[in-house]
Every structure is written in structure tokens, then in C-alpha cells.
Amino acid sequence: MIAILCRYGELFLKGGNRHIFLRTLVDNVRALVRGLPGAKVSAPHGRVIVSVPDEARVEACSRLERVFGLVSISPAASVPADIEAICAAAVVEAQAAVARDPALARSFKIEAHRSDKLFPLQSHAIACRAGDAVALATKIPVDVHQPALRVGIEVATGGAHVFAERRPAPGGLPVGVSGRALLLLSGGIDSPVAGWLAAKRGLDLEALTFHSPPFTGEKSKDKVISLARHLARWQAVSTLWVAPFTEAQKRLREAGPAELAVVLYRRMMVRVADRLCQRAACGAIVTGENLGQVASQTLTNMRNIEVASGHLILRPLLTYDKVETTALARRLGTYEISALPYEDCCSLFVPAHPATAARLSDVERAEANLDVAKEADQIAEQAERIVL
């Protein structure tokens, strides 16, 4: 068995509520490693520790790197709280790290921490003893200022953990501690990234997409499902709603001037989202909107869209430029899916010159030609629910 040390960051700042955040984090970790044979999760002071068989190390680390609330993880050797065993483990971990990456052989440093104050050696003495052992066995020079390799030692009550690898995790807050929200998810680049950022701040998300057959085919729908499933690997989205939008989109296009179409579409979308928020007990709507990126994303148009909703609308990407959003999408692994050449309903029936500063009175006059509340009710009722 190996132990994977999971470090959390912001949770330390939560004062009297820290136990709630930590309990949610541990539950999320357990959910993500469920199915790995022999996996066990514990939460000693300041750490979450996942114990798995050696053969599950790679898969367990891959999963834990996607847990919001964790800032880094380290697969570690678990040894008795004995200095000889600690030194031997430090040598093995250093040699294994250099075998994975020979460039680390330039220099090393031992970083020791003793939380068990009954252990006979203090942290500095532990580091010196282990450093001597590693230097003798590997011939790697010591550099305490800018080492290429850092070997960590944590001595706690009942045992010690030794590691030479630190993998980044996303940080943020555990999914679920900030409540629930509904993500408006399209097949584009922006909305999956917005959902990921919302989950990073602790929101438990369901997602809603709009499908307009026959103008958008099954591949467009499958593309959004693939994005939702990818976000589910981060525990960011649990359910996807697929709402039919064809007939409503046609009626909205005919209800008023062509330049208002985009604003009319978006207002209907947030109305449908309102209905599903009530059904799914979500307290907010999350969108991938970005200030000034397209015609519907001016201050005036976003305000006109927002007043049609009864819920708070969150826009994690509001100040991002496209380069920043695309870079994050590549990092998350959603870009390759978003780049597939299948358009969604947001690109349908868009006029050549959409209004960038629509007047609310004009928008409401166009909507007066329809029973928009009834339209929204029908779309929400017909939405297909996909559990991810």
C-alpha cells in the first residue's frame, strides 16, 4: 500500500466552519476514488490521506488531481516512525524520482516536518540524517536554496510519510460548499470553462443545453454531452438537461425585428433556466458570457437578458479575454471537444447586424406577441434529463 498525501489550502481560513468544508472535501475524495480496490480515506490533522495498493497509484493520483479544494498531492512511502526506516525510504524515493526524471540529479534538499513532538529528533535533525543517507547513496549534491529535487518527510503519531513528488491540484473550495447552480452549457469554448471555474468556488452544478433539431443534428447534442461528461470527471456537473428549442426559436425570430433575435433567444433561455432551477433546487444560473465578446454581451444587452430571470446570474468569465479562456480550456481538456465542427442553437438564425444596445421597451414589445411564460414552461417540461 502507498499513501497519497492530499493538501488543502483555503480550508484553513474557514474558522468555525472549517469542519463543514473538510467533511465535504473528504466526501468528495471518497466519491472520486470509489471503485479503486482497497482504497481508504482518512483525515488526520492538516491532511487528507488516501491509501491504495501500489498498482492503483497512477489511477488514484490521476483522479485526485481533479478534486477541487486540494492544492497538491504527493504519493508517499509509509514507514514506521523510526529514523533508520525514514532514511531508507528517503533514499528509495529520491532514486525513484531521478529514475523518472534524470534532470533532478543536479541537486537535492530534504524538507522534514515533525508534528509528533514525542519523536526524539527535531525536524532539522531528521533532515540532516536523511540528507546524509541520500547523498551517500545517490552522490547527488545538496542545495538547500534552489534544489532540483525536494524530498519531503512528515513524521506524525504512529508513523511517517516520505515522498519526492508533488503534483498540482486545482485548489479552490470543495464542490457543494457554496450551494447549487445551473450552468447554461453550449458546445463552445467558453461555457465549459465557466462551469469549471464555478465548481472551483464550491458550486454543485447541473447543466442545461438547448437543442434545435433538425437545424442542429445529433452530433451537436453529443458534443455537449461529451463536454458535460468531461466536467463530471472533475465533479463539476452531475446532470445535463437537454431542452428542445426549435419551435420557440422560430417564433421568437418572427416576433420582432431581426436585430433583437439574439436578446430574445437569451431571455427565453434564462426563463427556462429559472424553471429548472426551481425543480433542481439551484440558487443561481452560471453562464459563459464575457463582456464585449459578442453582440449579446454588452452591458445593455446583458442587463436586458438578466431582468428576464428570477435568479442571480453568475458570469465567471466576465473579464477574461478569448486567449485566456482558450488556454484554460486546453488545460482542462475541453478545448478539443469544443473545437469539433458541430454548431449549436446559439449560432442559428443570427442576423447579420444584431443589436448591441437593444432597448428593453422594444424587446418587451416583441415578446408581447407571444406567451413567453407558457413557452418557457413547455420547454422546461419537455427537457430531457441525463444523469452523468
Side-chain angles (χ1 to χ4, degrees), residues 20-83:
I20 299 173
F21 285 71
L22 180 57
R23 184 172 64 242
T24 302
L25 176 63
V26 171
D27 288 344
N28 291 349
V29 168
R30 284 200 175 102
L32 211 58
V33 299
R34 187 177 296 133
L36 290 178
K40 297 180 180 179
V41 181
S42 60
H45 181 69
R47 290 283 184 270
V48 176
I49 297 179
V50 179
S51 299
V52 295
D54 290 351
E55 59 270 20
R57 167 184 173 142
V58 173
E59 177 62 22
C61 287
S62 175
R63 296 186 187 190
L64 292 169
E65 288 172 337
R66 302 193 300 268
V67 176
F68 292 109
L70 298 181
V71 295
S72 66
I73 64 170
S74 291
S78 298
V79 297
D82 171 80
I83 189 60

Side-chain angles (χ1 to χ4, degrees), residues 13-180:
L13 306 176
K14 298 307 175 183
N17 292 323
R18 185 186 306 162
H19 68 285
I20 299 173
F21 285 71
L22 180 57
R23 184 172 64 242
T24 302
L25 176 63
V26 171
D27 288 344
N28 291 349
V29 168
R30 284 200 175 102
L32 211 58
V33 299
R34 187 177 296 133
L36 290 178
K40 297 180 180 179
V41 181
S42 60
H45 181 69
R47 290 283 184 270
V48 176
I49 297 179
V50 179
S51 299
V52 295
D54 290 351
E55 59 270 20
R57 167 184 173 142
V58 173
E59 177 62 22
C61 287
S62 175
R63 296 186 187 190
L64 292 169
E65 288 172 337
R66 302 193 300 268
V67 176
F68 292 109
L70 298 181
V71 295
S72 66
I73 64 170
S74 291
S78 298
V79 297
D82 171 80
I83 189 60
E84 297 302 328
I86 290 170
C87 290
V91 170
V92 171
E93 291 298 308
Q95 290 172 333
V98 170
R100 290 191 298 268
D101 182 2
L104 296 177
R106 294 194 309 272
S107 60
F108 83 97
K109 175 186 180 181
I110 302 290
E111 297 176 333
H113 176 72
R114 179 193 66 157
S115 60
D116 178 11
K117 302 309 178 185
L118 297 179
F119 190 76
L121 296 177
Q122 295 184 353
S123 297
H124 180 70
I126 296 170
C128 289
R129 289 282 296 274
D132 288 343
V134 171
L136 180 63
T138 66
K139 310 305 180 186
I140 302 174
V142 174
D143 182 350
V144 298
H145 300 293
Q146 293 182 317
L149 170 64
R150 296 175 186 267
V151 178
I153 298 171
E154 296 187 3
V155 181
T157 303
H161 295 108
V162 184
F163 54 92
E165 185 178 7
R166 187 182 291 248
R167 301 186 183 189
L173 299 175
V175 169
V177 298
S178 298
R180 291 172 55 78

Side-chain angles (χ1 to χ4, degrees), residues 264-310:
L264 294 173
Y265 299 160
R266 297 292 294 181
R267 280 167 62 90
M268 182 58 70
M269 289 176 177
V270 299
R271 287 189 181 98
V272 175
D274 276 344
R275 274 68 171 172
L276 293 177
C277 278
Q278 293 168 1
R279 190 183 306 179
C282 294
I285 297 168
V286 178
T287 78
E289 290 171 303
N290 172 293
L291 187 59
Q293 187 164 277
V294 296
S296 66
Q297 296 174 8
T298 63
L299 282 179
T300 300
N301 284 351
M302 284 195 290
R303 182 192 64 208
N304 290 339
I305 293 165
E306 189 166 274
V307 296
S309 172

Side-chain angles (χ1 to χ4, degrees), residues 184 208 210 245 248 252 260-275 285 287 289 296 300-311 313 315 346 358-368 370 372-373 375-377 379:
L184 295 187
L208 166 63
F210 293 88
F245 204 51
L252 288 167
L260 298 180
V262 175
V263 174
L264 294 173
Y265 299 160
R266 297 292 294 181
R267 280 167 62 90
M268 182 58 70
M269 289 176 177
V270 299
R271 287 189 181 98
V272 175
D274 276 344
R275 274 68 171 172
I285 297 168
T287 78
E289 290 171 303
S296 66
T300 300
N301 284 351
M302 284 195 290
R303 182 192 64 208
N304 290 339
I305 293 165
E306 189 166 274
V307 296
S309 172
H311 285 79
I313 295 182
R315 301 176 174 93
C346 295
R359 289 188 298 185
L360 184 58
S361 58
D362 293 338
V363 174
E364 291 176 339
R365 188 179 302 112
E367 288 179 339
L370 300 172
V372 291
E375 292 274 2
D377 288 340
I379 295 170

